[in-house]
Amino acid sequence: MSALTLEVTPYRSPFDDGDADLTLHASDGARFAVHKLLLTMSSPMLKRCLMVGSSSPSPAFEGLVVRQEGGRDTIDLVEDSVTTERVLQYCYPFPNPILGNLDDIQPVLEMMRKFGMKGIMDRVRSLLVQPSFLEEEPLRVFAIAYRFGFEAETRLAARHTLRSPMFGPYVKELEHIPASVYHKLLQYHRKCSVAACSLTSDFSWFPGFASRWVWFQCDDCVHHPLSWPLADGKIYEVNAWFIEYMERTREVLRERPCAKVVTDPMLIVEALETAAPCHTCRPAAYLDLSAFIADHFTTEVEKATEGVELDIPF
């Protein structure tokens, strides 16, 4: 019985087809045997470089040299094997690779942009705005999206930055965008802060039935020294505990101008604790305040910040 022999190939599976007509040599030594036809369908730039019968790089590919190795055209890449394989998976009819974090996504987008693969870049851009990334790293998403020209994703990420203080921790992605764009983002944050905070001192946006809420109805609590006009045109005295709640909310909105912060349980608990000694407010305060926040306050904060324009060029 003959001994079992295994053929050792220098190529990275599954990109090891013997019929391939191009080798991509990654910076870490890995080789990928690929088909020009599939790559040039994804990259018009590679099509100009590879399909004209010339080994001279086109102007868009300064530094890219097509050489012969083992009877096959070969291109040496500056990208590593992980990034190269992920990009190739988008070019081939394979399942999309798993890009689990922003550090996975950025080099893939950079290589795609380098080779003019706009069509498959559009398939990757949606990964940037996964809820987990927007919740945990909105400033990084903003910078990456702007860097690669994704306008809708940039604007969405900018809205999510409102959930964090204006001057948060430094992120390295800011090095890839102009300082002017970051300055515009800070201006946007400040304008949203002003718009949201204005809701806490002007009650003209309250609904027509607002006077039924207990902080307008109760005469047993201490009233605030000032009175407020409502949408019905009348002037109302307001219980001091409600004004104190709005003042605390204003301080939070100044730092983080988004609807989520007004639902902070600690803010609500403080208001209810202040209202509790009053036998009139105590049974109604929770229901009235909950309805006010859920049905009106959060909506108005969203409307106020949505009216602020993010003035950056694309």
Side-chain angles (χ1 to χ4, degrees):
M1 183 173 65
S2 60
L4 179 66
T5 60
L6 295 176
E7 182 180 358
V8 178
T9 174
Y11 296 100
R12 183 92 166 231
S13 176
F15 301 101
D16 53 2
D17 190 344
D19 293 331
D21 53 1
L22 177 67
T23 296
L24 298 180
H25 186 195
S27 62
D28 54 8
R31 286 176 165 79
F32 299 85
V34 296
H35 300 83
K36 292 180 181 178
L37 178 62
L38 289 175
L39 263 63
T40 55
M41 289 176 65
S42 299
S43 170
M45 291 183 179
L46 275 176
K47 184 175 183 178
R48 291 197 301 270
C49 183
L50 295 172
M51 305 303 282
V52 295
S54 170
S55 60
S56 300
S58 64
F61 278 83
E62 183 179 352
L64 179 69
V65 177
V66 181
R67 60 181 176 81
Q68 282 287 313
E69 182 181 273
R72 183 185 290 162
D73 284 348
T74 299
I75 296 176
D76 294 318
L77 301 173
V78 298
E79 292 79 14
D80 62 22
S81 58
V82 173
T83 300
T84 301
E85 182 170 1
R86 286 168 172 168
V87 171
L88 290 175
Q89 285 179 275
Y90 278 101
C91 298
Y92 276 69
F94 294 160
N96 292 340
I98 296 174
L99 305 177
N101 56 61
L102 294 176
D103 290 328
D104 290 341
I105 295 173
Q106 289 186 81
V108 168
L109 284 172
E110 181 61 32
M111 185 174 182
M112 289 177 175
R113 181 170 67 174
K114 170 183 173 180
F115 288 101
M117 298 175 171
K118 186 177 184 303
I120 57 176
M121 282 182 74
D122 287 341
R123 291 162 54 191
V124 178
R125 65 191 295 177
S126 62
L127 299 179
L128 279 177
V129 290
Q130 295 179 60
S132 59
F133 296 159
L134 288 173
E135 289 287 337
E136 298 170 15
E137 303 177 286
L139 183 56
R140 292 187 70 196
V141 175
F142 171 85
I144 296 168
Y146 184 82
R147 175 188 179 190
F148 291 103
F150 301 151
E151 182 172 359
E153 290 77 7
T154 300
R155 296 189 183 281
L156 180 59
R159 284 199 60 77
H160 278 75
T161 65
L162 300 177
R163 301 186 180 190
S164 304
M166 185 182 298
F167 295 102
Y170 175 79
V171 298
K172 63 182 183 296
E173 286 76 14
L174 291 175
E175 297 174 8
H176 298 289
I177 66 172
S180 59
V181 171
Y182 181 54
H183 181 71
K184 293 285 189 180
L185 179 65
L186 296 180
Q187 285 185 320
Y188 168 74
H189 196 289
R190 180 179 175 278
K191 290 177 181 178
C192 287
S193 175
V194 171
C197 287
S198 69
L199 300 173
T200 65
S201 56
D202 176 4
F203 299 163
S204 61
W205 58 270
F206 281 21
F209 59 82
S211 59
R212 303 175 192 170
W213 287 327
V214 69
W215 49 86
F216 292 116
Q217 289 288 321
C218 177
D219 290 324
D220 298 321
C221 282
V222 175
H223 290 155
H224 192 271
L226 300 179
S227 299
W228 272 262
L230 297 183
D232 60 8
K234 297 179 181 179
I235 307 296
Y236 290 86
E237 292 185 324
V238 188
N239 288 351
W241 67 262
F242 178 76
I243 299 301
E244 290 169 4
Y245 160 75
M246 295 298 273
E247 289 173 345
R248 287 192 295 268
T249 304
R250 183 187 311 145
E251 293 305 309
V252 178
L253 286 171
R254 185 171 286 119
E255 288 290 315
R256 295 179 291 144
C258 68
K260 184 177 181 180
V261 304
V262 305
T263 64
D264 183 346
M266 292 305 297
L267 288 173
I268 298 170
V269 167
E270 284 186 70
L272 296 178
E273 287 178 345
T274 309
C278 174
H279 70 277
T280 300
C281 289
R282 185 169 56 249
Y286 175 75
L287 291 178
D288 283 2
L289 193 58
S290 297
F292 165 71
I293 294 170
D295 300 338
H296 304 285
F297 201 6
T298 54
T299 301
E300 291 298 322
V301 171
E302 287 289 342
K303 286 170 58 178
T305 54
E306 283 173 1
V308 178
E309 181 183 1
L310 175 63
D311 181 23
I312 58 175
F314 283 91

